[in-house]
Amino acid sequence: KDVDRAADLIARCLIMTGVKKDDVLQNMMTYGLFTGALVMHYGAEKVGVLVIPAGPGNTKRQIALMQDFKTTTLHLTPSYALYLASVMHNEGLDPKKDFFLRRAYLGSEPYSEETRNKIEKFFGIDVYNSYGLSEMNGPGVAFECMEKDGMHLWEDNFIMEIIDPETGEKLPEGEKGELVLTTLCREAMPILRYRTRDIVMIIPGKCKCGRTHRRISRIIGRSDDMIIIRGVNIFPQQIEQVLMGIKAVAQNYQIVLEAYDQMTVRVEISKDLFDGRVEHLVNLQNEITEKLRSEILVKPKVELLEPGTLPISEGKSTRVIDKRTL
């Protein structure tokens, strides 16, 4: 019954974003003991769409499946969406002309609005933010509607609270804090006041779509992945937000932390910048450094790399390498 209810919530999410029976959903999340792929699969079947259980990786095969089955909807991680875009670009494919894509659901990793914009622009589709966690059945705990102004959390299934992660004090709407959830309908494993570690806020007011379930913001960060550099609290999503807002930056980046609180941001940039003119690289390096310093209040070292230099992630990405604890 719990699995069936979780699938019902996903079906609700899909219909809310315009999915119909003639859609084809290519599921690029990991199947197996991970709830992300299976719950989405079951929910999509309830709507009546064709589901392609592709799983992650093997990108050229993914592209072939998209073409063969005329895929309209993708379910994948944001980091893999960026990698898929880079492969299509290198293969000379135009997703707006060569495919039938209409929308994508991104989940499993926090990501910035700038990353969403980049993915939407490249693929020419609508990208919707999906929130869930295995402890609460998987994806579909909260989902964006077509307004894309926060994720409606299904309060007929979950009680939500926002607390101060340090004191446990309950916070009002509009203040950032840790999301705490209680299951209302779970039979096999009901959970009371589960601390998700995800930092969000409840968005005040009603959504333009007319739905009355309250909305949470995108995941701002996690209370357990916060980086502390020279006494300053930094979330990796702040760095991604800056990088993805710079046109010359490609899809991949990495944050390296070393002894004495030294932070290096390694970022791949467009091939066009490697034109033999050092001043172009220096100017871009300075621009990235200053924009990061302004956002995170710490001046990092910025290392510019050619596309394809950093490890490629086809599942959940590892953005932070902390050598201080090695």
Side-chain angles (χ1 to χ4, degrees):
K1 186 175 179 180
D2 292 341
V3 174
D4 189 58
R5 185 177 293 275
D8 281 339
L9 292 183
I10 284 291
R12 181 190 295 182
C13 297
L14 300 187
I15 290 171
M16 178 171 67
T17 52
V19 167
K20 296 181 173 62
K21 289 184 178 181
D22 62 348
D23 277 297
V24 178
L25 187 147
Q26 191 158 324
N27 201 353
M28 300 182 183
M29 291 291 191
T30 302
Y31 281 80
L33 297 179
F34 173 57
T35 59
L38 285 171
V39 174
M40 177 62 76
H41 189 124
Y42 297 151
E45 286 185 334
K46 278 182 176 285
V47 177
V49 308
L50 174 64
V51 183
I52 310 300
N58 203 340
T59 305
K60 291 188 178 181
R61 180 172 175 269
Q62 298 277 13
I63 292 171
L65 289 172
M66 291 164 65
Q67 293 172 324
D68 291 345
F69 288 98
K70 296 181 172 56
T71 300
T72 65
T73 306
L74 303 177
H75 180 219
L76 69 173
T77 63
S79 56
Y80 190 49
L82 290 170
Y83 176 63
L84 179 63
S86 68
V87 172
M88 285 186 175
H89 176 74
N90 293 338
E91 294 289 320
L93 297 170
D94 184 345
K96 301 182 187 75
K97 296 178 180 178
D98 302 330
F99 297 87
F100 302 84
L101 297 173
R102 299 173 191 162
R103 67 188 68 82
Y105 303 123
L106 302 188
S108 189
E109 305 166 351
Y111 65 103
S112 65
E113 188 66 20
E114 286 71 19
T115 296
R116 187 225 297 265
N117 293 340
K118 200 163 201 170
I119 294 168
E120 285 189 330
K121 184 177 179 181
F122 179 82
F123 288 99
I125 59 176
D126 287 306
V127 170
Y128 296 99
N129 202 359
S130 165
Y131 176 72
L133 53 162
S134 294
E135 295 85 350
M136 298 290 143
N137 296 340
V141 173
F143 221 87
E144 282 185 328
C145 65
M146 295 176 82
E147 295 293 333
K148 302 182 196 172
D149 186 20
M151 295 178 285
H152 293 276
L153 192 137
W154 303 127
E155 294 182 271
D156 52 338
N157 282 261
F158 308 99
I159 297 173
M160 70 167 162
E161 305 168 75
I162 305 294
I163 66 167
D164 184 314
E166 298 294 329
T167 66
E169 176 189 0
K170 191 172 180 179
L171 300 175
E173 290 185 2
E175 288 195 25
K176 292 186 291 187
E178 183 180 342
L179 178 63
V180 174
L181 294 172
T182 294
T183 60
L184 285 172
C185 307
R186 185 87 73 83
E187 292 184 353
M189 192 177 72
I191 300 179
L192 303 178
R193 303 199 75 222
Y194 180 77
R195 294 187 61 168
T196 66
R197 305 296 179 187
D198 291 321
I199 304 298
V200 302
M201 70 175 183
I202 297 175
I203 299 174
K206 293 183 179 179
C207 183
K208 292 179 182 178
C209 77
R211 291 175 179 83
T212 56
H213 289 90
R214 288 182 297 170
R215 295 162 293 152
I216 59 171
S217 67
R218 67 170 56 252
I219 306 305
I220 299 165
R222 285 182 56 84
S223 61
D224 56 358
D225 74 355
M226 183 175 66
I227 302 166
I228 301 176
I229 297 290
R230 300 166 215 160
V232 179
N233 296 342
I234 302 167
F235 289 107
Q237 288 70 40
Q238 292 176 274
I239 294 172
E240 177 181 297
Q241 181 178 348
V242 171
L243 296 179
M244 293 299 113
I246 298 173
K247 187 176 181 180
V249 169
Q251 283 79 11
N252 215 352
Y253 71 94
Q254 195 174 72
I255 303 164
V256 180
L257 307 176
E258 297 179 285
Y260 308 111
D261 278 352
Q262 296 299 313
M263 174 190 286
T264 300
V265 178
R266 309 180 71 211
V267 56
E268 294 181 356
I269 62 172
S270 172
K271 287 183 179 180
D272 299 338
L273 269 295
F274 292 95
D275 57 4
R277 300 186 65 176
V278 176
E279 62 267 27
H280 289 171
L281 296 176
V282 172
N283 290 339
L284 178 60
Q285 189 176 42
N286 290 338
E287 178 190 355
I288 294 173
T289 301
E290 286 307 307
K291 286 185 175 180
L292 286 173
R293 183 192 61 77
S294 177
E295 172 65 26
I296 64 177
L297 307 180
V298 171
K299 186 175 181 179
K301 178 183 176 183
V302 173
E303 185 178 341
L304 304 182
L305 305 171
E306 292 188 63
T309 303
L310 295 173
I312 294 167
S313 172
E314 296 182 336
K316 284 193 177 185
S317 59
T318 301
R319 296 298 193 192
V320 181
I321 307 297
D322 193 345
K323 296 183 178 181
R324 297 175 300 178
T325 59
L326 297 182

